[in-house]
Amino acid sequence: MSGVRRLGRRWRRQRPLRTRLALAASAAVALVAVGVCTAAFFVIRYEMFHQLDLNLTQSATRVIQENRDGGPQVVAGECRFLSAPACAQIVPGLPAEDPSRPYLLPVSAPVREVATGDRAPYFSNITLSGKPMRMLTTRLGEDKALQVALRSDSVEKGVRQAAELLAVISAAGVLLAAGLGYWVSRTGLAPVARLTATAERIASTRDPRHRIELPPGPPGREDEVTRLATSFNTMLGELEQSVTAQRRLVADASHELRTPLTALRTNAELLARADRLTDAQRERAAGALARQLREVTGLVNDLIELARDEEPTPLLEEVRIAALAEHAVGAARAHWPATPFTLQIAPDAAETVRPGVPARLTRLLTNLLDNAAKFSPEGLPVEVELTSSRRSGSGERLELTVRDHGPGITAEDLPYVFDRFYRAETARALPGSGLGLAMARQIARAHGAELTAEQAQGGGAVFRLAFE
């Protein structure tokens, strides 16, 4: 049995889905057609013989009424013809009481048992003079049995004709099932075929802009295959956005790296001829080379950080955001001594924790503080505030804001401040690669938080980091 199952599994693996679906649909419809025809045959056969049995019962009732006190004898014997009435004979319980005239119908031991009351009345099929007959054996008074028989060849002929007709209908049903199975497999798998063709076209052209054509219909009433195609189109849209963003990142990174690498090569070539330079020129070239190396190293590190889509789960731990903010502000004060930093922590937010990677969250806060200090005029503070609030049904919301008093963000620049390599007109003369805020938002989203930017009242910019 296990070998048959293995052969069945091997056959299913070697046959395409369309063939398997067509065979399954055809087999299902064919089984239904054959089953219905078989059931119809047995119903017709039962009804025809039941009608014959009713005729025999009526004939037996009439004979019993006419011969209730009669002895063993042949009552009627013309049943060999189709139009003749039923044959009838009375049989005693003991063979010794049989009449001298021979019986027309066969007498067996069960007939004697019906006469003595040891057996219930019954119907049987017999052959008389080469003709099929249906016979009823029932009890007649005390110690006597009545046998009544009718020709049944017309009934059997009708049963055969019904069987032949139903066999033809079954064969037609099987052929129709095959056609329906092919149509079902072709129609039902048409979206899957389009999906496969689209996937193969994308694989060959490496172009995710292709989409699967969806059948028209009201929204919310799609079938499973249409929903699969819709999901596949959504996946293709996400893939297209990812590929576009990747290409843009590579192009922007190439553009951003070209200038510092050119300067690096120039200074390196200049230092290679150090014997022709004065001491001041050598120091200036060495300083420029070191500064450009730091810029390239920082840019490469930022690109590596941006390549990470999410935080590694094993590194997550419960992080107290207030302590993290205090540490980041302390480091910013040391790095930007000319810019005062203020930190306000609400009492209900001092002990609040969130799952995260401390080093990554510290990088997020550092990027926000560095960005604020870079645009703040000397002597004006960078204000950091951590608050907590409760929302009905959604738990506690933790919000950290970083506000500077610089020129702020124009309405034109606001939608793009978190884009990679984007730098506003006012920031192009300042150091940096344009990746800090993009990295900050990526880290925030990886931790389930949302980072937004807006204009501050009275001037400057406000960045809000919200943990739900």
Side-chain angles (χ1 to χ4, degrees), residues 364-365 368 398-401 444 449-451 463-467:
L364 187 159
L365 298 180
L368 293 180
L398 193 65
E399 184 176 275
L400 185 141
T401 60
E450 185 61 29
L451 178 62
F463 289 86
R464 300 183 185 275
L465 178 63
F467 295 88

Side-chain angles (χ1 to χ4, degrees), residues 88-101:
Q89 64 185 24
I90 300 173
V91 179
L94 297 175
E97 299 178 2
D98 288 342
S100 58
R101 183 181 175 183

Side-chain angles (χ1 to χ4, degrees), residues 288-333:
L289 183 63
R291 183 174 62 256
Q292 290 152 3
L293 279 173
R294 286 194 299 271
E295 290 180 3
V296 172
T297 302
L299 179 59
V300 171
N301 289 336
D302 289 344
L303 290 173
I304 293 174
E305 291 288 335
L306 284 171
R308 299 172 60 177
D309 291 332
E310 58 185 12
E311 305 304 328
T313 302
L315 299 180
L316 292 177
E317 58 182 89
E318 294 296 322
V319 181
R320 195 162 65 92
I321 305 300
L324 209 65
E326 292 173 353
H327 173 74
V329 169
R333 285 169 178 161

